Amino acid sequence: MVKLSVIVPFYNVQQYAPDTLRSLRANARDDFEFILVDDCSRDETPDILERAARELPGAVHLRHETNGGLATARNTGLDAARGEYLTFLDGDDWLAPGYFSQLLASIEELGCDFVRTDHVQCTARARSVHRVPHGRRGVVMNPRDVILPADRSTSVDYAYAWAGIYHRRLADRGLLHFTDGLRTAEDRPWIWRLHREAESFAAVSLLGVFYRRGVASSLTQIGDVRQLDFIKAFDQVVRETAADRDADELLPKAVRTYCAIISHHLGSIERFEPSVARKLKSMSAAALKRMPQGVLDDALDSMDVQRATRLRRLRRRPVPSEVAA
């Protein structure tokens, strides 16, 4: 029986894939499988993965004929996974040796639906530890109970899918799949759904994932139209949260976070291509008009003056009919 399935999407990461694959080898066990999903790479990544399929114990190599984005690639891996537990890694990140065995032991000991972990962020030569924004460690809790408060960073803001491990029963309930086609912010609707609908989780102080920031091919570094998928992602968060039994309590958090992300993108709008910058403004203005207006009023009142002023000005902006829907 496969104990752990590790889903690893790759797209044009020939420079980093060898490090990723070496770290997987240092985590291999007879009861682990590594599902390597090539999302139609156009560089040397396919050749690297073909060799890995022959040499890496437990490797399963899958390839998309067309590029579908990270969410779709992860879903391909989820559909193929056979493990009792599942986790993720991105094709340009890497792991400490033996990390997955420690991660698996933690969830088996706790017996919960999912476990969340800290990680190390790597930007060039700099290293910094980023922790799950939840102080209690090794204690099983209801995931719904840690969504709030609205005005602080909480577990739904720590959206990295690879920073944890998940029991198969979540996949069987449809809680681990991502929204197909989302090119960025794909983790946001996913983490909100997980915290609203799973029954138990815990955070543990375990470091072993090394998250590479500043990769030139990463969408976080590219100011093209795919970045605007964050609007689709947060529209989904607000829509699904509005249908929740605790919508009155949870919507302020969803709306405030959405507003903060819009403000963040507007604050660095110069990194976008001019046509994309114009589209960002019009789509964001339309998004503000779609939000529950009373909740939005309260969210803006709770924000600092600079962000609130920026968003109120945007809120007054006329929205073309083709963008408003």
Side-chain angles (χ1 to χ4, degrees):
M1 179 179 177
V2 176
K3 197 70 174 177
L4 177 67
S5 296
V6 184
I7 296 151
V8 195
F10 294 82
Y11 179 63
N12 289 352
V13 287
Q14 64 180 21
Q15 181 179 353
Y16 307 110
D19 289 341
T20 304
L21 293 164
R22 276 191 293 269
S23 76
L24 291 176
R25 177 178 286 278
N27 277 267
R29 271 180 26 179
D30 290 343
D31 54 351
F32 288 3
E33 67 175 4
F34 303 115
I35 302 176
L36 315 177
V37 183
D38 176 20
D39 194 22
C40 197
S41 297
R42 300 302 185 188
D43 61 359
E44 298 302 313
T45 300
D47 294 335
I48 295 170
L49 294 182
E50 286 179 12
R51 288 196 298 272
R54 297 190 298 268
E55 300 170 2
L56 175 64
V60 178
H61 182 202
L62 305 175
R63 176 168 169 79
H64 285 169
E65 293 303 318
T66 58
N67 178 258
L70 182 57
T72 301
R74 285 177 174 166
N75 288 343
T76 294
L78 282 167
D79 291 340
R82 299 174 294 153
E84 181 181 356
Y85 296 93
L86 304 100
T87 190
F88 303 91
L89 185 68
D90 286 351
D92 51 8
D93 299 336
W94 76 97
L95 307 162
Y99 168 71
F100 280 147
S101 290
Q102 295 175 277
L103 184 61
L104 177 63
S106 71
I107 194 170
E108 290 189 312
E109 179 182 349
L110 291 162
C112 51
D113 283 344
F114 67 100
V115 162
R116 302 288 281 157
T117 67
D118 307 327
H119 71 275
V120 180
Q121 180 174 298
C122 308
T123 307
R125 294 180 179 271
R127 302 287 186 270
S128 57
V129 174
H130 289 246
R131 301 199 181 278
V132 184
H134 176 67
R136 301 179 68 186
R137 299 300 169 107
V139 178
V140 176
M141 296 186 64
N142 185 336
R144 180 179 286 265
D145 292 343
V146 300
I147 295 174
L148 300 176
D151 60 350
R152 278 179 30 206
S153 180
T154 72
S155 291
V156 291
D157 301 308
Y158 189 79
Y160 312 105
W162 36 256
I165 185 170
Y166 315 91
H167 196 284
R168 167 160 289 282
R169 58 180 168 260
L170 295 176
D172 293 342
R173 291 178 55 194
L175 299 184
L176 289 188
H177 280 72
F178 297 80
T179 302
D180 267 320
L182 281 181
R183 300 289 179 148
T184 193
E186 71 289 327
D187 291 343
R188 296 296 189 142
W190 177 88
I191 194 69
W192 271 84
R193 185 175 65 243
L194 202 57
H195 275 273
R196 286 194 314 265
E197 300 188 29
E199 296 176 2
S200 59
F201 99 110
V204 297
S205 296
L206 177 62
L207 284 175
V209 178
F210 293 82
Y211 167 45
R212 201 188 300 267
R213 289 273 297 188
V215 175
S217 60
S218 169
L219 273 186
T220 59
Q221 304 297 310
I222 299 172
D224 71 14
V225 71
R226 293 173 293 177
Q227 276 274 29
L228 303 188
D229 274 8
F230 85 89
I231 291 176
K232 295 179 185 177
F234 275 97
D235 275 354
Q236 182 180 346
V237 169
V238 170
R239 183 172 62 252
E240 292 177 353
T241 304
D244 188 87
R245 65 179 184 271
D246 295 322
D248 289 346
E249 296 177 21
L250 300 181
L251 264 176
K253 171 69 174 175
V255 169
R256 196 179 195 280
T257 304
Y258 197 173
C259 288
I261 299 296
I262 290 174
S263 180
H264 166 76
H265 283 295
L266 291 173
S268 56
I269 199 167
E270 67 281 352
R271 69 192 176 89
F272 289 95
E273 301 162 3
S275 62
V276 179
R278 291 191 295 272
K279 195 167 185 179
L280 168 64
K281 289 181 179 179
S282 61
M283 290 179 68
S284 296
L288 291 172
K289 289 176 170 56
R290 287 193 298 272
M291 295 179 198
Q293 295 301 292
V295 179
L296 176 59
D297 288 337
D298 292 341
L300 295 177
D301 288 344
S302 72
M303 300 177 81
D304 61 85
V305 172
Q306 183 180 19
R307 288 194 297 175
T309 300
R310 177 185 290 151
L311 291 166
R312 287 191 174 104
R313 186 182 302 122
L314 185 67
R315 191 182 186 185
R316 295 192 293 269
R317 181 188 177 101
V319 177
S321 57
E322 65 272 16
V323 178

